[in-house]
Amino acid sequence: MNGPEITLEVAPELRLFVPHDRRRGATPLTTDGASTLGHVIESLGIPLTEAGELLVNGAPAHRSHIPGPGEHIAVQAVERPQQVPGAPLRFLLDVHLGTPARRLRLLGVDAAYESEDIGDPALAALSARERRVLLSRDRGLLRRREIWAGAYVYSDRPQEQLRDILGRFAPALAPWTRCTACNGTLAVADKAAVSDLLERGTQQAYDVFAQCTECARVYWRGAHHGHLETIVADAVREFGGAAA
């Protein structure tokens, strides 16, 4: 680039996205004099989904601002909890986030998930069509203009991924109300009505059941329930909601 020189400072939370020589604070950057501030930020590797308030010489600025000579640009992180206006808060997770998707559903959060890789264009289109916040660790996917809203998931560990999502968006929690397999809603099921779907041992050992209103999968408090209760209790304790 051969244009105005600015100084750019990136919030500590965003420094993982930029080259190492830009992680120490304000650093000089030569622009082309025509690119918008949003384009400059993206060119450094920061998904715009992760950029919060933008300050030019200390004053708020829009992404469409074209940086001028000597300006000091500060890129803040997204404020948490992040507000997502325009539609009910619901999510779409990419193929690599199956575990947090199931855990969000366990907590009663509307979380669509594609178990097969349908490709970035299809995911972006689904986000736009259903107005879902697209969650991904793929920066390229989050740069697609057609997504309705998006967020980078910072950790690669499922437990921390869940905490990251809950802390960022503060969705209402309603544990045990959503199917972890298909995201449908659960309803109380009469044992006699679902007995044909149960193994004989399950029929004899349990009396309380729920069934998905979409895929008809049946749920009960089996041997694995203790682990799930721990996930729910931890999330409710930290982020609120009802554990029962």
Side-chain angles (χ1 to χ4, degrees):
M1 291 185 182
N2 185 23
E5 183 174 281
I6 63 174
T7 57
L8 187 132
E9 185 172 3
V10 175
E13 300 94 325
L14 303 179
R15 290 177 184 171
L16 77 161
F17 297 114
V18 300
H20 283 277
D21 60 356
R22 296 199 179 278
R23 296 182 182 181
R24 62 181 183 271
T27 58
L29 175 67
T30 301
T31 70
D32 62 8
S35 295
T36 65
L37 182 52
H39 179 79
V40 171
I41 292 169
E42 278 194 323
S43 70
L44 293 173
I46 304 172
L48 287 180
T49 59
E50 305 313 295
E53 186 174 41
L54 307 178
L55 302 176
V56 176
N57 296 332
H62 193 267
R63 296 174 182 178
S64 60
H65 172 76
I66 298 177
E71 290 184 343
H72 179 274
I73 309 295
V75 184
Q76 306 294 324
V78 172
E79 185 177 349
R80 297 188 176 213
Q82 181 180 350
Q83 301 300 311
V84 185
L89 181 60
R90 50 189 185 173
F91 301 99
L92 169 63
L93 291 84
D94 74 14
V95 68
H96 303 293
L97 297 176
T99 298
R102 289 186 290 273
R103 292 184 179 185
L104 285 170
R105 293 170 177 178
L106 177 66
L107 295 168
V109 178
D110 190 337
Y113 164 71
E114 296 292 337
S115 60
E116 296 183 2
D117 190 352
I118 63 174
D120 289 1
L123 277 172
L126 182 57
S127 166
R129 184 169 64 251
E130 297 189 0
R131 289 193 163 192
R132 291 180 177 273
V133 180
L134 179 57
L135 304 177
S136 178
R137 286 179 50 78
D138 183 341
R139 303 181 201 179
L141 172 57
L142 294 175
R143 290 183 66 171
R144 298 191 70 93
R145 293 292 183 261
E146 63 268 36
I147 68 174
W148 180 70
Y152 183 79
V153 177
Y154 285 78
S155 177
D156 58 2
R157 302 177 62 181
Q159 181 176 353
E160 291 305 312
Q161 289 173 338
L162 180 64
R163 292 185 69 253
D164 182 17
I165 297 165
L166 296 179
R168 177 163 177 171
F169 293 100
L173 305 184
W176 318 110
T177 62
R178 195 170 287 274
C179 177
T180 57
C182 81
N183 198 42
T185 56
L186 300 182
V188 175
D190 181 74
K191 182 175 181 178
V194 299
S195 60
D196 290 345
L197 301 174
L198 305 174
E199 298 288 343
R200 183 172 180 83
T202 302
Q203 293 181 25
Q204 295 174 341
Y206 301 97
D207 294 308
V208 179
F209 298 92
Q211 187 172 31
C212 178
T213 58
E214 298 292 331
C215 72
R217 180 168 178 165
V218 179
Y219 290 84
W220 61 94
R221 300 195 173 193
H224 63 295
H225 194 74
H227 172 63
L228 301 182
E229 282 186 324
T230 298
I231 294 173
V232 169
D234 288 346
V236 168
R237 180 171 57 251
E238 185 170 2
F239 300 103

